[in-house]
Amino acid sequence: MRKLIMTAFSLLLFLVSLNAQTPDRHYTVIVSLDGFRWDYPTMYKTPNLDRMGQDGVKAVMLPSFPASTFPNHYTLATGLVPDHNGIINNTFWDAENHRQYSMGDSASRYNPDYYLGEPIWVTAQKQGLKTANMYWVGSDIAIKGTYPTHYRMWNAKPFLTFEQRIDSVLTWLQKPEAERPRLVMLYFEEPDGSGHRNGPVSKETGAVVQHMDSLMGVLRARIESLPFGADINLIVTSDHGMAEISPERVVDMNKYLKPEWCEVVDGRTPTSIFSKAGYRDSIYNALKDVAHIHVWKKEEIPAELNYGSSSRVGDIVVAPELGWQFTDVARNNKGAHGYFPQSPEMQVIFRAIGPDFKKGYTSEGFVNVDIYPLLSYLLQIVPEKTDGKFERIKDILK
Ligand code: AMP
Ligand code: ZN
Ligand code: ZN
């Protein structure tokens, strides 16, 4: 009881600090279209996303470094940059426990110890709200011992089609009020897949982008046709963009590194190297003048990348220039990501409509760590301390 009163009191203080009256608490649906670069709507026909921009807010959002799927979806969920949320890459060497984490390996992916910070669904549920989640990174993992109220395991059979995922969202939203989620999170693995196979600029990726756009039109129409449709905010965004790559732009690090110098070399874009005792300078010196890569000692990584405080980052970090790759990346791919958030090719779409958002507003942009404070505001819950800044994003609100 005492805890409840304290939470209610902090919520009141929080709202007063935002200078907000207590408005109605609405519902929020947030969608991630994996690898949806910010400028796809200028390259391909996206009438539904365009209409969301006209009826609501549009912006270009920066991902966090590295611009890859697991780190950034977990950043969107927690408001913490990958260096602070524990998921510093899609794969990494866990030096403290001498084992490998990989998003593709269920044993490590489902180990909650890797996931630091607090996902928004946990924060919301601690404060009495219900949430629902379809396939967002982290949502089927017992982070802090908690799952979303309604969710589906990524590896449960059958793997749901895009249409089935939208059906599930509608089913959740039509639950009786007591079970109805205030926050719904929904993930699609396209246009990332097509972007990798065909490159960001291709008719195949164009067709997939158009398909995802039409699905967003269906989702919006179905949400708006609910009896309380006017009370639902809809956000469509992404984890990272996509850059063109080529078999001509490849750096073979093995040409420069001696195996006896390195404990572990892992992570592609960027690559973390854990050096053997006494060989750190040898590694650094061997790589520092190689063309088309950046190499840093962990403590010298540029501040704007927010990278290097985690024990999971190697003592040497090597990042290829935009559009360049290391040899172990799939040879026939035409697109890749993982590069610097400051590269326009890595930046992502943001559209938001609904009762809490301005209409016909173009924002100057923000960073994906700001989504957690935005969702906390929309859900009227007290946020955890994060790397996000509500100040940077609040202009998109009414
Ligand atoms: P990548 O392009 O390598 O950064 O990762 C994209 C891939 O991540 C997708 O194609 C999915 O297969 C995978 N993925 C996305 N969300 C999840 C999830 N919640 N659990 C497991 N794998 C996921
Ligand atoms: Zn992705
Ligand atoms: Zn990808």
Side-chain angles (χ1 to χ4, degrees):
M1 189 63 196
R2 196 157 161 262
K3 216 168 154 215
L4 202 67
I5 294 171
M6 287 301 286
T7 308
F9 185 65
S10 343
L11 178 59
L12 194 70
L13 281 183
F14 174 64
L15 287 170
V16 168
S17 75
L18 296 180
N19 204 6
Q21 311 123 2
T22 321
D24 291 341
R25 180 188 265 155
H26 298 121
Y27 297 86
T28 298
V29 177
I30 179 165
V31 182
S32 169
L33 302 174
D34 199 311
F36 204 112
R37 208 165 105 167
W38 71 276
D39 55 351
Y40 280 168
T42 67
M43 297 157 60
Y44 306 118
K45 284 204 178 69
T46 57
N48 295 289
L49 291 167
D50 298 349
R51 205 157 53 83
M52 280 185 77
Q54 288 149 18
D55 300 344
V57 174
K58 67 191 262 194
V60 178
M61 184 170 79
L62 267 71
S64 296
F65 183 73
S68 0
T69 300
F70 264 57
N72 277 280
H73 277 101
Y74 200 54
T75 291
L76 290 161
T78 58
L80 298 174
V81 294
D83 199 38
H84 298 155
N85 73 28
I87 307 301
I88 59 111
N89 212 332
N90 281 345
T91 72
F92 54 83
W93 177 244
D94 169 6
E96 280 176 4
N97 299 296
H98 292 270
R99 61 189 179 199
Q100 181 74 18
Y101 169 95
S102 169
M103 66 176 222
D105 155 54
S106 298
S108 61
R109 182 174 81 239
Y110 281 120
N111 182 348
D113 296 346
Y114 285 116
Y115 301 81
L116 311 180
E118 185 168 289
I120 186 74
W121 56 87
V122 177
T123 313
Q125 285 168 205
K126 283 200 323 205
Q127 296 176 48
L129 304 192
K130 305 275 190 291
T131 75
N133 206 307
M134 179 58 73
Y135 291 157
W136 202 282
V137 170
S139 65
D140 61 346
I141 299 163
I143 300 168
K144 292 198 160 180
T146 308
Y147 293 101
T149 319
H150 313 280
Y151 68 100
R152 187 173 170 90
M153 298 296 288
W154 176 265
N155 56 8
K157 297 278 177 304
F159 187 57
L160 299 189
T161 64
F162 293 172
E163 288 76 10
Q164 287 170 324
R165 297 179 206 184
I166 293 177
D167 288 345
S168 300
V169 165
L170 269 292
T171 305
W172 287 330
L173 286 170
Q174 291 172 92
K175 284 190 176 289
E177 221 175 312
E179 292 167 56
R180 193 182 296 155
R182 286 284 163 182
L183 171 68
V184 180
M185 301 178 80
L186 170 60
Y187 169 79
F188 297 95
E189 60 276 20
E190 290 289 356
D192 179 75
S194 179
H196 283 297
R197 288 187 302 275
N198 308 295
V201 188
S202 63
K203 71 173 189 316
E204 292 87 351
T205 297
V208 174
V209 165
Q210 271 171 247
H211 179 58
M212 299 319 291
D213 174 79
S214 72
L215 285 177
M216 292 306 97
V218 169
L219 176 66
R220 177 178 175 182
R222 291 185 67 183
I223 284 176
E224 286 179 348
S225 71
L226 292 170
F228 54 98
D231 294 332
I232 305 177
N233 294 305
L234 173 62
I235 301 170
V236 177
T237 187
S238 185
D239 53 347
H240 54 73
M242 189 63 69
E244 219 162 79
I245 54 173
S246 145
E248 271 86 66
R249 292 195 295 271
V250 173
V251 176
D252 184 1
M253 259 198 290
N254 298 323
K255 276 200 336 218
Y256 312 96
L257 293 179
K258 295 209 171 113
E260 60 267 29
W261 295 347
C262 308
E263 198 71 57
V264 178
V265 181
D266 187 76
R268 295 179 177 179
T269 310
T271 290
S272 264
I273 303 178
F274 292 83
S275 57
K276 285 200 173 142
Y279 289 111
R280 194 187 187 208
D281 285 338
S282 313
I283 298 171
Y284 181 80
N285 290 329
L287 294 174
K288 74 176 174 14
D289 298 321
V290 176
H292 307 298
I293 61 172
H294 304 269
V295 53
W296 306 289
K297 295 181 178 166
K298 181 175 182 166
E299 63 282 7
E300 292 170 357
I301 298 173
E304 73 261 24
L305 295 180
N306 289 303
Y307 205 63
S309 74
S310 167
S311 67
R312 299 167 189 177
V313 174
D315 50 11
I316 301 270
V317 172
V318 195
E321 274 176 11
L322 184 83
W324 285 74
Q325 331 156 63
F326 298 122
T327 38
D328 59 340
V329 179
R331 264 320 177 81
N332 42 4
N333 271 1
K334 299 203 172 80
H337 49 85
Y339 304 103
F340 300 161
Q342 293 74 14
S343 306
E345 289 86 342
M346 292 298 105
Q347 296 171 7
V348 308
I349 188 167
F350 180 93
R351 301 281 184 276
I353 51 165
D356 290 308
F357 292 106
K358 286 183 180 157
K359 291 201 180 355
Y361 183 74
T362 303
S363 148
E364 291 201 346
F366 37 83
V367 187
N368 68 354
V369 289
D370 303 333
I371 296 298
Y372 175 99
L374 172 71
L375 294 174
S376 300
Y377 172 87
L378 295 172
L379 297 169
Q380 299 184 8
I381 55 175
V382 184
E384 291 288 302
K385 282 224 159 19
T386 67
D387 297 317
K389 289 200 173 76
F390 183 68
E391 285 300 307
R392 199 159 43 195
I393 197 169
K394 70 174 189 192
D395 61 306
I396 68 175
L397 294 160
K398 264 189 193 153

